[in-house]
Amino acid sequence: MFDSISDDLSKTTKIRPLGDVLHIFILLILSKLLKTFALFITYDLLKSFHVILILFLITFIASIFLIFIQRPFSSFRFNKIIIFRLIKYTICLTIIRLLWLFGLTLCGPLRTILLFEHSDIVILACFHVLFSSSSNLGQQQQEKTSRIRGVVFFILAILGIFAFDNDDARQRMLDHPEGHTRHRLIAHMFYRLTSLIGVADHKGGVILLLIALFMRCIINSSNQKLVLDVGGPKKFYAITTCLSTVCLIPISFIMLLINNLFPESIDSVYTTVQTTLPSTISSSSFSNNTMLLIISIVFLSILIFVSDFYVEQVAVVKLERLRTFRYSTFIMIGSAIIASFLWTKSVTIANDKSVSFTKNIIQNEFEEHALSGGVVFAIVMFIFATDLLSKPVQQRSGAFIGYSQDGMLVFNVTQQKPQSLLFIIRTSLREILAETDSRKIFYFLCINLMFTFVELLYGAWTNSLGLISDGFHMLFDCTALVVGLYAALMSRWKPTRVFSYGYGRVEVLSGFVNGLFLVVVAFFVFYEAIGRLIDPPEINTNRLLAVSIAGFAVNMIGIFSFSHAHAHAHGGGSSCAMSQPTTPKEQHNHSHDEHSHSHGGDHGHSHASIQKSSHSHSLTDNANMKGVFLHVLADTLGSVGVIISSLLIQYFGWYISDPICSLFISIMIFLSVLPLLKDSAMTLLLQTPSNIQYEILERILKLENVLSYSDEHFWNLSSSMIVGSIHIQISNNGDEQRVTSQVQAILKEAQIQNLTVQVEKQVFFNHLTGLNSALGQLATSQNFFNR
Amino acid sequence: MHTSSSVLKSLFYLLKASHSRSTVIITVATLLSCIIVFTMAGQTNSMALQAFCSLCIFDLLFIGTALLSAWNIENRNTKVRQKIQPTANTSSTALFIPTQTVATFSYGTARFEVLAVFTSTMLSILGAFFILKESIEKFLENEPIHIGYLMPASLITFFMHLIVIYLVPNQPFDHVIAASSSSWLQEHVSDMFQNLCHYIPGLSRLLLPRINPLALLCWCGLAIIFSDSFLLTMGYGHFVDTLSSLLMAFMTFGTMVPIAIYSGKILLQTTPAPMIGQLDKCLHEASRLDGVLEFRHEHFWALSFGTLVGSLHVRCRRDADEQLVLAHVWNKLANVVQILTIHIFKDDWLRRQTHTFMQPQTTSSNQNSSNIPPSSAYNGFVVVT
């Protein structure tokens, strides 16, 4: 589907100058103007007749015309598959047209034109931008930007019609739907549906029109081959119109039988036609309303279904596809605005003329579907969106490389093959479950999400805002888990050209980000608490207790699983760092366990843990897991705070306890996150690990032939890996390789895995001066030799 | 503690220095306006205003980064001075030369700037995220909004932000803004301006240059607040406020994410994308030098903005002169990589020793025969022992 749209947009046919095709252009404008006019009349007709009946009559007459013009069945080869597909297409088409007309009755002609008269190209371009993430090459970046803006404008326009168009008249009509007695059956169902969703009447119409628009796009783009099979778009159109007439026959007869509508409606037909065509009515006095109805329907069917289609086909051939659709949309929108002005004016004139017997209907008409701020906004936005989305693109999928052996052009197609979503999910799940850390986070994330959704659903069910907002809060917290999970996954990726050390550092960075996240949370909780401390609000503690206890239980699961990992990591760390005394670490670990057991209520303990952890640089710990753990801990603290404060409020009525609790919690979160922040920041800042002492370097100096060392850099890459580089100056009779291996052996003892040793002699500097190389960065080591 | 006191001392030094006095005034003003604006935002109960006022907090972080960078420059200068006169040991560097271990930050303090930029952008991203969630919650709670404070608070924020961005010299942020990929907001605005310049070419000098994304964020935020307050007075209710706060949050995301990605990539020890081509060229040239067999473990990463650190293992032929190979490879790479370490290794160097042991006639290398004078090309050097 997307291929076709990009084909359409990138087709670089020669654009003819406007002068050559001016007659076709004028024809296009005329047909579009007439179509707009016809739509307005149809709207009036629809007030008094049933949707299905009108549609049946219009398509019937149109198909008669089309049969005479096109003779579609003269050279038609009957093929079972094609007929089956045609029938499928026809049914979809009929449903779309029904939806469209029904939307017209609900929204009025102006909004219908705004929403429905977009070409498929625009809609497909929207989808293309929204759902295809193909990385465009640099030159097309700007095209893409304007596309995205177009989509945003389109969505804003729909939003403008949907939300900011206060069409109050419809609301009143809904209470007394006299005008809609004709569509009793469908309308009744529809009203039920809209009231179930909880949207207003005309909003329901907007939704219907959008559904119809999208369906039209889908069936048009998926049936392009069918059109060719049948033999050209004109023939295809004629056949489908005839078939849809056949489809509509049974339904409309059933409708006729049920509603028995004809005799009632004569009166209203008379009035509506009078309102729309006041001048013709006044000049020629038609007494036969049925005759008038038939004439107007013939008129409409020609305008809407026949002439418009033919003119469009001609214009597509002669002008250009994009240009045709672009201009036709603009013309439709413009003429719709003008027509709606004129229409309201003519209604007022008619109002003056025939106050006596059509007052009710006319006043309704006058008020409903007038221009509002939202509609004006939407019009502007739609014009922008159409302009941006239907701009031709010079899109080439690959860069030209050269010629193949056969002399064909060879392009470098950089877009990688899109994988199916299921495959991606399966592989990533397997990756997640492969290791304990990510598995733990994943399971806890699942539990958390389940709890959240249960909370949200229950909140929506019982209509409790507190529950819903707490659910959102939980969802917010889940993002920290997602960050942790992604980092745990990413840290296992293989090194690449850019990430030459591998992705191990991602875990440190994610730990840091999670720490920052907690700082933000603490800050906002503090801010809110200060605000509430001044003016403590009344809190409804009804149900709050149960929810917070449930949340507490869920978080306790997380704490137990993660604190195990935490302790485990500590154990591993202490075996790694030999020189470090192990006691403070164990205490640190222990105090964390205390933390989780004592439900964070004890302040002394939390302080103690902070002091200790800041002393024992536990860089060997996994920062990512620590960040996740701290986040869960903070959540637990939060639910504990809620439990305490709600108990206090329930039994003592101390409303001030809530802000005080949150103050304490925010301070505790902040203090508990500080060591994590400090550790990970120090790792990111390439701090020298504490177990690299001078004595190690002293041992290097004591080696044979080693004169001095310089530029010694040692840093933690991630929690478990130390990287080092050092320059060593040796005397002229030393052997480089021997010194290198000795230095490597010494530094391997200090757990430095990734080592680079540069051995320099005096010769080296002489060479460099001979090569005229810059010696700036070697100042220290050169100083040594010059001394 | 000793470290905190020395930090305080260096801060005090900053306050004393003449060039940062205006910065200090601006800092105090920002702090004041931050407090004022946030109390106002709390009064109005409007999330959009809160989202806009979080720019003030970003300003504080921005100033903090600027101060850090100034401190870093000062630090570097004193270090250079210290190198010249090793006895001078000022208090501002005392923090970084502890007695027990090797220098705590062996690469110096340049990376602090990167971390500061990353932290401030990340904090504002997370703040925007928090505001996103808060605004949804507020939408559900449906409390009335007072429009009275909306305009003054947003105007204060606006002017404060512009003053901070244009008057506080901030090298790291300038660099990042210039080097990082442009945000979606910037792209859209530049695209729109380009379209506009098609019609009015005279504006091209004014509109076409790249706009500072932080200033752009401020302008767009002000426009959103204006329309928000307008629609609120028209009586459109909460929906508008939630919508505009969401929009503000997304704009903040869009502006901050490229900066955060750029600085985060530096923190992740990666090769900066623009350097890759140049590095590859140098490596290619170096690999064709005489005696070089292959490169292994090529690690090149950015230490801070504009400083590249590299380490490289070179396998060279068994009979090659290591110092010569080292000098040549060094010469090729040293122009691109500022801090370079090259590790030269040979296969089976022990076996080679026995080999030369058995055939002492072959052209000698320096290691096991100190009596033989070095080759005649290096006459002029003094052996230091």
Side-chain angles (χ1 to χ4, degrees):
Chain A
M1 197 160 91
F2 291 147
D3 295 340
S4 67
I5 167 70
S6 51
D7 281 352
D8 278 340
L9 287 173
S10 60
K11 215 173 268 174
T12 51
T13 48
K14 270 185 217 159
I15 296 175
R16 303 183 192 197
L18 202 63
D20 290 5
V21 286
L22 195 62
H23 54 288
I24 294 169
F25 197 65
I26 291 169
L27 205 65
L28 185 71
I29 292 176
L30 267 181
S31 81
K32 290 292 170 190
L33 281 176
L34 286 174
K35 191 181 175 186
T36 316
F37 184 54
L39 274 176
F40 275 83
I41 295 173
T42 318
Y43 174 66
D44 277 343
L45 275 183
L46 281 171
K47 275 183 183 162
S48 37
F49 294 100
H50 198 281
V51 175
I52 290 175
L53 187 76
I54 295 279
L55 185 63
F56 168 67
L57 287 176
I58 292 176
T59 43
F60 178 66
I61 292 161
S63 59
I64 289 171
F65 275 105
L66 285 171
I67 282 174
F68 275 116
I69 299 167
Q70 203 69 41
R71 296 182 205 289
F73 296 103
S74 58
S75 63
F76 184 65
R77 283 178 287 105
F78 285 97
N79 185 339
K80 221 173 199 175
I81 302 166
I82 287 181
I83 286 177
F84 179 67
R85 282 168 66 192
L86 269 178
I87 289 172
K88 220 164 67 179
Y89 178 83
T90 313
I91 290 171
C92 287
L93 188 74
T94 316
I95 292 170
I96 288 166
R97 283 183 177 161
L98 269 177
L99 284 178
W100 170 57
L101 277 183
F102 199 64
L104 182 64
T105 62
L106 290 171
C107 289
L110 176 62
R111 289 162 181 79
T112 308
I113 287 172
L114 280 182
L115 285 171
F116 193 71
E117 296 298 326
H118 293 287
S119 62
D120 295 350
I121 290 177
V122 170
I123 306 299
L124 286 183
C126 274
F127 279 110
H128 188 67
V129 168
L130 284 181
F131 296 112
S132 84
S133 58
S134 61
S135 57
N136 284 24
L137 300 172
Q139 193 240 332
Q140 291 151 15
Q141 190 57 46
Q142 200 158 27
E143 301 285 345
K144 178 135 183 167
T145 320
S146 64
R147 284 290 140 100
I148 291 171
R149 202 164 62 240
V151 173
V152 170
F153 282 157
F154 198 84
I155 292 169
L156 276 180
I158 289 172
L159 204 73
I161 287 192
F162 190 77
F164 291 95
D165 178 19
N166 30 12
D167 205 351
D168 295 331
R170 298 307 306 168
Q171 207 57 45
R172 256 184 286 133
M173 288 287 281
L174 184 62
D175 300 333
H176 318 280
E178 301 119 328
H180 287 273
T181 40
R182 308 290 147 249
H183 337 127
R184 205 172 288 138
L185 199 79
I186 305 175
H188 189 65
M189 277 162 58
F190 179 70
Y191 291 141
R192 274 293 177 80
L193 205 70
T194 50
S195 63
L196 197 73
I197 304 170
V199 288
D201 193 18
H202 96 278
K203 292 180 184 178
V206 170
I207 293 171
L208 278 189
L209 282 175
L210 285 179
I211 291 170
L213 181 63
F214 292 146
M215 269 179 76
R216 193 191 72 189
C217 268
I218 290 164
I219 65 163
N220 275 351
S221 53
S222 60
N223 283 314
Q224 272 171 348
K225 194 168 168 287
L226 183 64
V227 175
L228 293 180
D229 285 346
V230 171
K234 289 177 190 170
K235 200 168 168 187
F236 179 72
Y237 187 71
I239 290 173
T240 46
T241 312
C242 296
L243 282 178
S244 89
T245 318
V246 177
C247 271
L248 282 168
I249 287 173
I251 310 172
S252 54
F253 267 109
I254 293 167
M255 280 296 151
L256 265 181
L257 286 178
I258 290 174
N259 284 347
N260 187 21
L261 74 166
F262 225 67
E264 296 174 35
S265 59
I266 293 166
D267 227 25
S268 48
V269 171
Y270 183 66
T271 56
T272 43
V273 173
Q274 203 178 27
T275 51
T276 49
L277 306 161
S279 52
T280 47
I281 299 294
S282 52
S283 60
S284 59
S285 56
F286 275 112
S287 56
N288 194 344
N289 289 312
T290 330
M291 192 62 202
L292 186 68
L293 173 71
I294 286 169
I295 286 174
S296 63
I297 278 182
V298 169
F299 180 61
L300 290 182
S301 73
I302 290 172
L303 286 184
I304 293 178
F305 282 143
V306 183
S307 76
D308 175 55
F309 174 74
Y310 276 102
V311 169
E312 204 166 72
Q313 285 300 319
V314 170
V316 163
V317 175
K318 294 276 178 177
L319 284 168
E320 200 211 347
R321 222 172 126 78
L322 273 177
R323 225 166 27 154
T324 310
F325 289 131
R326 221 170 133 173
Y327 287 127
S328 61
T329 311
F330 288 151
I331 294 161
M332 286 294 277
I333 291 174
S335 60
I337 300 166
I338 296 165
S340 73
F341 270 122
L342 292 180
W343 184 56
T344 39
K345 217 175 227 173
S346 71
V347 167
T348 40
I349 292 164
N351 200 2
D352 291 338
K353 277 184 183 172
S354 53
V355 192
S356 54
F357 64 98
T358 51
K359 194 176 179 182
N360 281 332
I361 299 168
I362 285 165
Q363 269 189 343
N364 262 336
E365 275 172 28
F366 182 52
E367 282 174 11
E368 78 193 34
H369 306 318
L371 280 174
S372 73
V375 172
V376 173
F377 172 75
I379 286 167
V380 174
M381 285 289 131
F382 269 129
I383 288 172
F384 275 135
T386 315
D387 185 40
L388 287 170
L389 284 174
S390 61
K391 229 182 233 169
V393 187
Q394 291 86 35
Q395 195 172 31
R396 275 207 333 226
S397 54
F400 177 67
I401 295 175
Y403 297 96
S404 72
Q405 286 180 335
D406 315 329
M408 301 290 285
L409 302 177
V410 178
F411 288 98
N412 175 24
V413 181
T414 47
Q415 289 172 349
Q416 66 266 45
K417 220 173 181 181
Q419 288 169 322
S420 76
L421 195 66
L422 197 71
F423 180 75
I424 293 171
I425 289 172
R426 207 187 292 153
T427 46
S428 51
L429 256 184
R430 199 179 300 141
E431 269 177 39
I432 287 168
L433 296 181
E435 210 166 285
T436 48
D437 280 2
S438 53
R439 197 166 51 214
K440 252 172 207 155
I441 301 177
F442 180 69
Y443 286 148
F444 185 63
L445 183 67
C446 283
I447 294 171
N448 230 338
L449 279 179
M450 248 152 55
F451 180 72
T452 308
F453 280 113
V454 166
E455 202 173 355
L456 278 179
L457 278 181
Y458 189 71
W461 189 258
T462 56
N463 219 358
S464 133
L465 286 178
L467 272 182
I468 293 176
S469 66
D470 193 61
F472 272 112
H473 184 84
M474 291 286 283
L475 215 59
F476 176 68
D477 286 337
C478 283
T479 51
L481 288 178
V482 171
V483 169
L485 182 65
Y486 194 66
L489 270 187
M490 224 173 145
S491 65
R492 269 178 270 146
W493 290 358
K494 292 275 179 298
T496 61
R497 175 79 180 75
V498 173
F499 286 79
S500 57
Y501 284 110
Y503 288 79
R505 277 217 145 193
V506 173
E507 282 197 327
V508 182
L509 198 70
S510 116
F512 187 69
V513 168
N514 260 338
L516 288 182
F517 200 130
L518 281 176
V519 169
V520 169
V521 168
F523 171 76
F524 272 95
V525 169
F526 192 80
Y527 172 69
E528 291 258 310
I530 294 275
R532 290 194 178 181
L533 204 60
I534 298 161
D535 173 30
E538 301 261 317
I539 297 162
N540 183 14
T541 54
N542 212 355
R543 228 189 261 119
L544 204 61
L545 199 61
V547 171
S548 55
I549 286 174
F552 177 70
V554 167
N555 279 323
M556 280 315 278
I557 297 172
I559 281 200
F560 277 121
S561 63
F562 286 124
S563 70
H564 178 66
H566 204 56
H568 191 74
H570 265 292
S574 68
S575 74
C576 224
M578 302 282 258
S579 56
Q580 194 73 16
T582 45
T583 36
K585 263 187 190 164
E586 272 184 6
Q587 274 186 9
H588 167 67
N589 174 17
H590 195 67
S591 68
H592 256 300
D593 271 348
E594 280 281 332
H595 218 115
S596 60
H597 281 301
S598 65
H599 312 319
D602 201 341
H603 254 267
H605 267 292
S606 69
H607 266 293
S609 85
I610 287 149
Q611 287 297 322
K612 256 145 211 164
S613 67
S614 66
H615 279 305
S616 73
H617 275 296
S618 55
L619 279 173
T620 40
D621 196 359
N622 186 343
N624 185 28
M625 290 305 280
K626 206 168 162 187
V628 171
F629 173 76
L630 277 179
H631 206 96
V632 176
L633 190 71
D635 266 11
T636 320
L637 285 183
S639 40
V640 167
V642 172
I643 290 172
I644 292 171
S645 65
S646 61
L647 281 178
L648 284 179
I649 288 169
Q650 214 160 17
Y651 292 106
F652 303 101
W654 293 344
Y655 284 110
I656 198 103
S657 70
D658 179 51
I660 290 174
C661 260
S662 29
L663 269 184
F664 271 127
I665 285 167
S666 69
I667 290 168
M668 272 161 68
I669 289 173
F670 186 70
L671 288 179
S672 69
V673 91
L674 274 183
L676 169 71
L677 269 185
K678 196 181 170 206
D679 281 359
S680 51
M682 285 303 161
T683 311
L684 289 174
L685 288 174
L686 307 178
Q687 190 199 31
T688 310
S690 51
N691 57 339
I692 309 285
Q693 312 277 339
Y694 265 125
E695 49 168 353
I696 296 169
L697 298 176
E698 290 289 324
R699 279 173 64 193
I700 291 176
L701 272 183
K702 278 176 193 150
L703 289 175
E704 194 187 350
N705 289 327
V706 171
L707 301 177
S708 84
Y709 64 88
S710 65
D711 290 317
E712 67 284 359
H713 299 299
F714 302 101
W715 43 277
N716 282 86
L717 177 67
S718 60
S719 49
S720 58
M721 194 167 162
I722 303 176
V723 178
S725 67
I726 191 166
H727 291 207
I728 289 178
Q729 288 83 39
I730 62 170
S731 61
N732 265 317
N733 48 5
D735 177 22
E736 289 98 335
Q737 294 302 321
R738 170 163 294 166
V739 171
T740 307
S741 67
Q742 281 166 342
V743 170
Q744 270 178 331
I746 290 171
L747 290 176
K748 274 266 161 62
E749 274 177 41
Q751 273 83 40
I752 297 169
Q753 284 90 354
N754 195 330
L755 187 66
T756 314
V757 184
Q758 176 168 335
V759 183
E760 297 160 353
K761 291 182 184 176
Q762 176 69 50
V763 188
F764 171 61
F765 296 101
N766 293 346
H767 282 310
L768 280 187
T769 38
L771 287 165
N772 233 346
S773 181
L775 285 172
Q777 51 175 304
L778 287 171
T780 46
S781 47
Q782 205 204 6
N783 273 345
F784 175 78
F785 280 110
N786 286 344
R787 213 157 48 204
Chain B
M1 271 170 81
H2 148 250
T3 53
S4 61
S5 73
S6 88
V7 165
L8 274 181
K9 263 182 196 165
S10 27
L11 272 180
F12 185 68
Y13 171 77
L14 272 179
L15 298 195
K16 260 197 321 193
S18 59
H19 62 271
S20 54
R21 195 163 294 145
S22 67
T23 313
V24 172
I25 295 167
I26 291 174
T27 314
V28 173
T30 316
L31 259 175
L32 275 179
S33 66
C34 204
I35 293 165
I36 293 168
V37 154
F38 263 87
T39 42
M40 278 177 170
Q43 290 290 317
T44 52
N45 215 353
S46 143
M47 278 319 289
L49 187 61
Q50 244 179 55
F52 190 56
C53 293
S54 59
L55 274 183
C56 251
I57 290 181
F58 175 75
D59 289 343
L60 282 180
L61 293 168
F62 187 87
I63 292 170
T65 313
L67 288 180
L68 192 74
S69 131
W71 170 73
N72 179 37
I73 290 166
E74 186 63 29
N75 212 12
R76 209 184 299 152
N77 289 343
T78 49
K79 233 179 197 174
V80 169
R81 238 180 286 145
Q82 195 188 0
K83 248 173 208 168
I84 298 161
Q85 319 163 304
T87 45
N89 194 356
T90 52
S91 61
S92 57
T93 54
L95 169 59
F96 300 102
I97 307 174
T99 46
Q100 255 300 311
T101 59
V102 188
T104 325
F105 298 100
S106 54
Y107 285 110
T109 50
R111 217 171 159 83
F112 277 56
E113 293 177 3
V114 187
L115 193 72
V117 170
F118 181 75
T119 309
S120 43
T121 50
M122 211 61 214
L123 277 177
S124 59
I125 286 173
L126 292 170
F129 195 62
F130 202 84
I131 278 167
L132 214 77
K133 169 221 152 200
E134 280 282 292
S135 61
I136 291 170
E137 281 187 13
K138 272 268 163 65
F139 179 65
L140 291 174
E141 277 168 19
N142 215 355
E143 281 173 23
I145 296 170
H146 314 286
I147 311 164
Y149 285 127
L150 214 58
M151 290 328 292
S154 58
L155 281 178
I156 290 173
T157 314
F158 175 74
F159 286 118
M160 218 50 237
H161 188 73
L162 283 190
I163 286 171
V164 166
I165 279 183
Y166 284 115
L167 292 187
V168 177
N170 195 340
Q171 219 173 349
F173 259 102
D174 288 347
H175 179 94
V176 174
I177 285 167
S180 66
S181 60
S182 45
S183 65
W184 63 261
L185 201 64
Q186 259 175 308
E187 258 169 33
H188 283 280
V189 169
S190 75
D191 191 38
M192 271 194 269
F193 281 166
Q194 215 160 38
N195 282 352
L196 194 70
C197 289
H198 273 296
Y199 300 110
I200 315 165
L203 290 174
S204 60
R205 182 162 294 174
L206 192 69
L207 297 181
L208 280 191
R210 199 174 180 200
I211 308 158
N212 187 338
L214 300 173
L216 190 65
L217 177 69
C218 189
W219 281 103
C220 292
L222 191 71
I224 285 174
I225 294 285
F226 265 61
S227 54
D228 179 36
S229 73
F230 175 71
L231 286 175
L232 280 176
T233 42
M234 294 274 284
Y236 275 98
H238 281 78
F239 186 66
V240 183
D241 193 60
T242 310
L243 209 67
S244 44
S245 72
L246 288 187
L247 203 59
M248 278 293 303
F250 279 121
M251 268 172 16
T252 316
F253 274 138
T255 309
M256 297 300 171
V257 161
I259 302 177
I261 283 177
Y262 185 82
S263 50
K265 268 196 174 162
I266 291 178
L267 289 180
L268 283 179
Q269 233 78 9
T270 58
T271 320
M275 296 303 290
I276 285 180
Q278 206 180 347
L279 262 178
D280 274 345
K281 196 170 143 266
C282 290
L283 280 176
H284 184 72
E285 277 176 13
S287 69
R288 298 185 145 202
L289 291 171
D290 185 40
V292 175
L293 291 180
E294 64 165 338
F295 292 143
R296 279 188 202 161
H297 308 291
E298 306 107 321
H299 297 300
F300 296 101
W301 44 275
L303 174 68
S304 65
F305 306 118
T307 315
L308 205 64
V309 180
S311 66
L312 179 70
H313 288 211
V314 179
R315 190 163 75 91
C316 65
R317 247 193 355 248
R318 250 186 274 170
D319 57 343
D321 181 2
E322 286 180 31
Q323 295 300 317
L324 195 65
V325 169
L326 179 65
H328 277 285
V329 174
W330 178 279
N331 183 38
K332 284 282 182 257
L333 288 174
N335 295 325
V336 184
V337 186
Q338 280 78 20
I339 299 175
L340 182 62
T341 309
I342 297 169
H343 183 134
I344 305 249
F345 69 102
K346 295 176 177 178
D347 285 336
D348 304 332
W349 58 275
L350 282 169
R351 213 179 72 197
R352 180 193 170 251
Q353 267 187 335
T354 54
H355 186 241
T356 45
F357 211 63
M358 284 155 71
Q359 296 175 316
Q361 263 76 18
T362 48
T363 47
S364 69
S365 54
N366 300 326
Q367 76 265 356
N368 51 3
S369 53
S370 58
N371 299 331
I372 297 168
S375 48
S376 59
Y378 317 113
N379 275 335
F381 82 81
V382 186
V383 179
V384 181
T385 43

